[in-house]
Amino acid sequence: MSLSRREFLKATAVSGGGLMLSFSLGGCAASDNGYRESGGEGRWTPNAWLEITDQNGITLTIARVEMGQGTVTGMTTLVAEELDVPPDTLKTRFAPVGDAYRNPLYKLQLTGGSTSLATSWQPLREAGAAARIMLERAAARTWNVEARRCTGRDGRVWHPDGETSLSYGQLAALAAHETVPDPVPLRPRSEWRYIGKTNTRHDAEIKSTGQAEYGIDVDLPDMVYAVMTRPPRLGLRVEGFNADTVRAMPGVIDVVETERGVAIVADKYWRARKAQDALEIVWDETDALDLDVDHVFETYARAADDDPGETEREDGDVEQARSQAGQVLEAEYRVPFLAHATMEPMNATARVNENGIEVWAPTQAPDLGRIAAARVTDFSPDEVTIHTTWIGGGFGRRLTQDYIEEVAAIAFQVRRPVKLLWSREDDMRHDVYRPAMLHRLSATLSDEQITGWDHQIVGPQVLNWYARNAAAAQFPWAPKFLYDSLARVGVMAEGIATPKDTSAIEGAVEYPYAAPNVRVRHTHVDAGIPISYWRSVGHSHNGFVVETFMDEVAHSLGRDPYKFRRDLLKQKPGDLAVLDRAAKLGDWSRPVPEGRARGIAIHRSFGTLVAQVVEAGIEGGAIRVYRVACVVDCGQVVNPDVVRMQMESGILFGLTAALYGEIEFEQGAVKQGNFDDYRLLSMYDLPEMTIDIIDSEASPTGVGEPGVPPVMPALGNALFALTGKRQRNMPFKVEV
Amino acid sequence: MAIKLTVNGQLRQLDIEADTPLLWVLRDELGLKGTKFGCGKGLCGACTVHLDGSPARSCSTPVSLAEGREVTTIEGLAPEGELHPLQLAWVEHNVPQCGYCQSGQIMSAAHLLSYNAAPSNDDIVAAMSGNLCRCRTYARIHAAIKSVSKHGEADA
């Protein structure tokens, strides 16, 4: 995206003396969920602000959230580089949504899709540079010297004599009267002091001392506590409940019915929980969705038989390749529903007054939170303010605003500041899941070559569900009575956002290997189980399937899986470099210790390419991962340690899914409830991880998600090499 | 019931139902929000505090069990204005990502070092495997603990 700076970078004076630059970071999550911002036409509104004052130093306010992925650290580094100040001297704030921050030109404010750094790479550096140049000009005017001979460095502007200097704070008020430079020259790579070199995290200390304030930590005067009882099975509705009995319980203030269940409000959290034991709800089972997880896959299989689906990619003619093939290899893969299981369970706090409602929440999509709160109260979106907090894990879960909807509905009824907290079981059983998917693949082989690749993806699309939450946010002019119908129609029918939902097919349509005939189809089928985005979304299953089936093809041709991939990537030097380096880092060509085997996989997601070699074995009947070698190409690195951190995190996130991850439904109820039956990898399972980053000058791409997809197939491929049994279903199982 | 306990060196008196988990007393009654709620069943370790110097899962410890005892939370791990060596190591090793579980991680690690100043790799894994982290910062937690231990990083 290229924006005219004159139009998109504005300077104003801060009352009390100081410089404020307002600017705009590109739309976030544009590539993966189908939403795009509505273009540059219309009124421009900023979503980032850089403020320099004498009293408060330098503050960067951003309309993004931090959930562990290092966004804040990366962003401050970019501004600091051009301003020439150490990144840790910048203070950061998260922009609330609503009132002053409300955006009249609709744009979804959300953080997801590993896009934060990619979209802010240019504008953040420009803002920093513009501020520095304006400070230099202000200093030049003061000293009556040429501006180009003044230098901003380490938070001060230096006189040409090299001895006299004024601090940025001292100059800020004057600088506000300078014009914004256009164009804004950026520092050449060779002069960078912080980009690619900074390794500290902006938030490490407050997160090591218990001082970071998460959603769960919000405390308001006279606040009360709410817990919600939701339908134990899909599709149930509240018919009635014993309100009087529960109201008589110690500490209970009120018991209220909402769309999503029955809420108990008490003076203390524990009293609300205890009163919940006494709550008896009669459920209306008319629309109960009595399905088991086996039914879901049966439904998928039937759909796959009946409907070949929409063709998403077609190169050559796979049918013809099939008729001429010496050998046809076929396989079916299944991946389960998965929960997000963020360590901080869903929660939100709200306060209603005569002018509107304020919500404090750990959310990835404050814009949608505003709509969610408006929908269940009498307030218009203008009257809703969302304050975002530090987030105890997101992974896509907090793009859905159900918890904000709940707290708003409760606060609106009880008219008291109220904090809603989900139990772990609430969180596990009322998640919006990574969809279960079925995949059917066939490869045609002739003369030791792959001649055709045919992939049928079977399952739901996330956007169909997400639109229920997001549709109304797309149409800020819509009266509230239209919200539900907008949600039903979804944004797709309106054609305004022109989204293409790639959630089911991403990571499969991009099949990267040379093959004359490639077909990728998607059979759309939805079993009715709520789904959403999950760290790396479609790549989380397509990466597994494509890279496992490639391994099947290699083995059936009697080829080394690494060399086989290598031959088919010859036309792609970037891919080849990453693959080769991973093979080297993972000792691919060296002997494997007794009882172990290695597997390899490479996958591109969100613009970032990652290859991994996994060394695994079986100990006491359980899969054991010993080593993971990982090579990543994410363009220009802003903070190398954040990249390494995200790769480590992605690897272990993917391994957890491969080893343990499974949400099962029994008669419409989720079986798993806590960490004893939805296991997370612990330190005991920790493999040795080595991360290597490709040196690149290309624009940075995201790192929050791309570490996840390749590790699952790399592990499965290692297990095949070890046992001869192919892992086509997740989680993986080995014969004891 | 009336309960007396010492929290981070200060004697506190409360009137609270005896079965209230210590976690909610610390967070909601005493305003010590650094200790986190994760699972409510002692499965994840996010709520770990020290009770008379031993690690306890405060989410499943009734406050009545803390009567007359000394509770230490993340806020009281180091004297005010100072960082515990583990906290310094956490910053040095860039341990936290989302950060939510880290108070519990640090409290478990602090207990380990209190009785074993030079833990082996296996000792660290054994002491820390009950503390879950969804961002999977385990490698860095392990390295940070090692750096503070008597062995240092040399034989890690």
Side-chain angles (χ1 to χ4, degrees), chain A residues 159-295:
Chain A
H159 190 277
D161 67 15
E163 283 172 19
T164 317
S165 71
L166 288 165
S167 76
Y168 286 178
Q170 289 172 305
L171 290 164
L174 286 173
H177 302 289
E178 299 292 333
T179 52
V180 180
D182 185 14
V184 187
L186 295 177
R187 296 213 153 149
R189 195 170 196 256
S190 56
E191 288 176 21
W192 286 344
R193 299 176 67 185
Y194 303 113
I195 296 175
K197 300 181 176 78
T198 305
N199 281 311
T200 50
R201 261 188 88 111
H202 209 68
D203 50 2
E205 185 171 325
I206 59 163
K207 288 178 173 179
S208 300
T209 52
Q211 300 306 308
E213 191 178 87
Y214 298 85
I216 197 176
D217 303 328
V218 170
D219 215 344
L220 301 177
D222 303 320
M223 188 177 77
V224 293
Y225 298 84
V227 300
M228 176 84 85
T229 304
R230 300 170 193 80
R233 286 155 57 206
L234 292 167
L236 303 194
R237 279 193 304 269
V238 176
E239 193 169 288
F241 55 97
N242 57 341
D244 292 343
T245 309
V246 179
R247 276 205 189 92
M249 299 284 292
V252 172
I253 292 163
D254 208 347
V255 187
V256 297
E257 186 181 340
T258 74
E259 267 179 39
R260 290 180 48 88
V262 177
I264 297 171
V265 181
D267 61 346
K268 295 181 194 301
Y269 171 72
W270 192 245
R271 286 175 147 178
R273 275 286 167 228
K274 282 208 291 187
Q276 205 178 19
D277 292 338
L279 176 65
E280 287 168 14
I281 300 176
V282 179
W283 298 100
D284 173 353
E285 306 201 356
T286 316
D287 298 323
L289 199 60
D290 267 343
L291 47 77
D292 291 0
V293 76
D294 290 344
H295 298 155

Side-chain angles (χ1 to χ4, degrees), chain A residues 8 168 265 295 308 322 331 342 378 513 636 715:
Chain A
F8 289 96
Y168 286 178
V265 181
H295 298 155
R322 195 183 181 91
T342 61
D378 283 349
Y513 299 101
Q636 172 64 51
L715 172 59

Side-chain angles (χ1 to χ4, degrees), chain A residues 66-69 199-201 203-205 207-214 216-219 223 225 250 268-271 274 339-345 390-395 419 421-425 534-535 639 641-642 644-646 648-650 652-657 674-676 678-687 689, chain B residues 15-21 23-24 27-29 31-46 59-60 74-77 81-84 86-103 105-106 121 124-143 145:
Chain A
E66 173 68 47
M67 46 200 163
Q69 79 280 35
N199 281 311
T200 50
R201 261 188 88 111
D203 50 2
E205 185 171 325
K207 288 178 173 179
S208 300
T209 52
Q211 300 306 308
E213 191 178 87
Y214 298 85
I216 197 176
D217 303 328
V218 170
D219 215 344
M223 188 177 77
Y225 298 84
K268 295 181 194 301
Y269 171 72
W270 192 245
R271 286 175 147 178
K274 282 208 291 187
H340 295 83
T342 61
M343 289 307 295
E344 180 189 12
W390 290 99
I391 294 181
F395 318 120
K419 180 192 286 184
L421 177 60
W422 293 30
S423 68
R424 176 55 58 191
E425 288 78 9
W534 188 90
R535 195 173 186 173
N639 185 317
D641 211 37
V642 165
R644 279 191 289 272
M645 232 182 269
Q646 285 303 311
E648 293 164 11
S649 173
L652 300 179
F653 201 89
L655 285 181
T656 298
N674 209 316
F675 296 127
D676 48 354
Y678 191 79
R679 283 184 64 188
L680 301 186
L681 207 85
S682 75
M683 191 185 278
Y684 174 79
D685 306 295
L686 180 69
M689 293 180 280
Chain B
D15 189 22
I16 189 103
E17 281 155 42
D19 64 349
T20 307
L23 172 67
W24 304 112
R27 288 179 53 83
D28 295 338
E29 308 298 323
L32 297 167
K33 307 275 192 188
T35 307
K36 301 302 191 216
F37 168 71
C39 69
K41 287 186 173 172
L43 298 167
C44 76
C59 76
S60 33
I74 187 75
E75 291 90 348
L77 188 60
E82 290 176 36
L83 293 183
H84 185 276
L86 279 166
Q87 291 171 319
L88 288 169
W90 246 242
V91 174
E92 173 76 16
H93 286 79
N94 275 340
V95 172
Q97 289 186 24
C98 95
Y100 192 77
C101 72
Q102 299 299 345
S103 297
Q105 303 277 2
I106 290 172
N121 288 339
I124 295 175
V125 169
M128 300 303 296
S129 282
N131 283 79
L132 299 177
C133 170
R134 185 65 163 147
C135 307
R136 320 310 155 94
T137 57
Y138 303 128
R140 286 161 192 269
I141 290 173
H142 194 285
I145 295 172

